[in-house]
Amino acid sequence: MTAASASASTYTITGYVSTGGVVNAGGTTLTADQGVQIVSALLSNGTTEQTLTSTQTASVTYGNGLSLQIPANSEIKVVASATGLVVQSSQPVSVRNGGVTVGSQSGTLTVLASQDTVIVNLSADSQQTLQTSLSPSTAKNLDITLNPPSGAIKASIPSGAFSEDVTLTVKQPDSLPGAKAFGAYAYTAPSLLNGMGIGIEINPNKAVQPLKPVSIRLTYRSSDAADRDPRTFTVARLDDGRGQWLI
């Protein structure tokens, strides 16, 4: 183990190579695969930030029940607490807990684990795309929050929502199709639907529908509303097959 002086934003920096034993991670502990390099920095706010690197794919398991998958030849910064992880990476990274796996492409990912729910928050400066793997035996609910410029978008998926293993891609849409006549409420004038450009895209890797309701909460800015009457706002779902919006 080595120690060195640091900038004003940190008090102490220590570095070591994991041999598979338990290591202090600040608010909790961690156990890393052998060969994972760990550099810990005690920050001026009292938290411990750890930089993890590995030449091969490796796993790190925390005392709070969360585990982290490190890609080969990557560098990941983690601040761990008794209930969660804040993970910063420029490469794809995944976190697991209670049968739920969530992964981001890059940026800052916050994952909190309670007794019955995994809570995931993707920072506003991150690519607004997440992947999550679920199974019928998944014991926990999953709350995902994206943070695009328009404001937080939250999707809540209950435990046991799917009858088979499924991987979901949850993202801010690249674009939203224009409004058409839709569903049993088929309006003939497309202008009756005037999109605000705010939405969430949830794509499974196979043709499967949830067995339980999935709730979605959207927020918007006053500038998004412009001169529209909020009492006329509605949430619609796109039927890809028919190219129609359903409410």
Side-chain angles (χ1 to χ4, degrees):
M1 179 181 294
T2 60
S5 61
S7 66
S9 62
T10 63
Y11 290 125
T12 308
I13 292 180
T14 56
Y16 38 87
V17 177
S18 172
T19 58
V22 178
V23 174
N24 179 29
T28 184
T29 59
L30 70 81
T31 304
D33 287 349
Q34 291 190 17
V36 174
Q37 297 182 26
I38 305 169
V39 176
S40 295
L42 180 61
L43 306 181
S44 57
N45 62 6
T47 61
T48 298
E49 180 185 76
Q50 294 184 311
T51 302
L52 311 175
T53 57
S54 178
T55 58
Q56 57 188 3
T57 301
S59 295
V60 179
T61 302
Y62 289 84
N64 56 22
L66 292 160
S67 62
L68 182 67
Q69 193 78 7
I70 303 176
N73 302 313
S74 64
E75 178 180 286
I76 298 173
K77 294 183 182 296
V78 182
V79 175
S81 68
T83 57
L85 303 175
V86 179
V87 183
Q88 184 177 1
S89 174
S90 60
Q91 294 182 271
V93 63
S94 61
V95 181
R96 300 174 183 171
N97 177 264
V100 175
T101 300
V102 293
S104 63
Q105 296 300 309
S106 62
T108 302
L109 180 69
T110 300
V111 183
L112 302 175
S114 67
Q115 184 174 357
D116 60 1
T117 305
V118 176
I119 302 169
V120 183
N121 192 298
L122 194 58
S123 68
D125 60 351
S126 303
Q127 182 179 344
Q128 298 297 302
T129 301
L130 285 171
Q131 279 197 329
T132 180
S133 297
L134 305 169
S135 70
S137 60
T138 297
K140 293 193 175 185
N141 306 315
L142 175 61
D143 287 349
I144 295 173
T145 300
L146 306 182
N147 289 282
S150 58
I153 299 175
K154 181 178 178 180
S156 297
I157 304 172
S159 62
F162 294 93
S163 60
E164 55 186 296
D165 293 347
V166 63
T167 297
L168 304 176
T169 299
V170 182
K171 60 178 290 188
Q172 179 188 15
D174 298 325
S175 62
L176 292 170
K180 297 181 180 179
F182 51 100
Y185 305 93
Y187 292 108
T188 57
S191 60
L192 291 177
L193 271 183
N194 186 8
M196 296 172 64
I198 299 172
I200 185 172
E201 187 175 316
I202 303 177
N203 290 321
N205 64 336
K206 60 182 70 173
V208 61
Q209 292 294 324
L211 303 174
K212 300 178 181 179
V214 174
S215 67
I216 295 173
R217 181 175 181 176
L218 306 172
T219 57
Y220 60 87
R221 302 161 295 189
S222 57
S223 59
D224 296 316
D227 57 353
R228 301 165 180 167
D229 183 351
R231 293 173 298 180
T232 66
F233 292 174
T234 188
V235 175
R237 176 178 64 86
L238 180 65
D239 183 329
D240 290 318
R242 291 183 291 176
Q244 295 177 329
W245 288 99
L246 311 176
I247 60 172

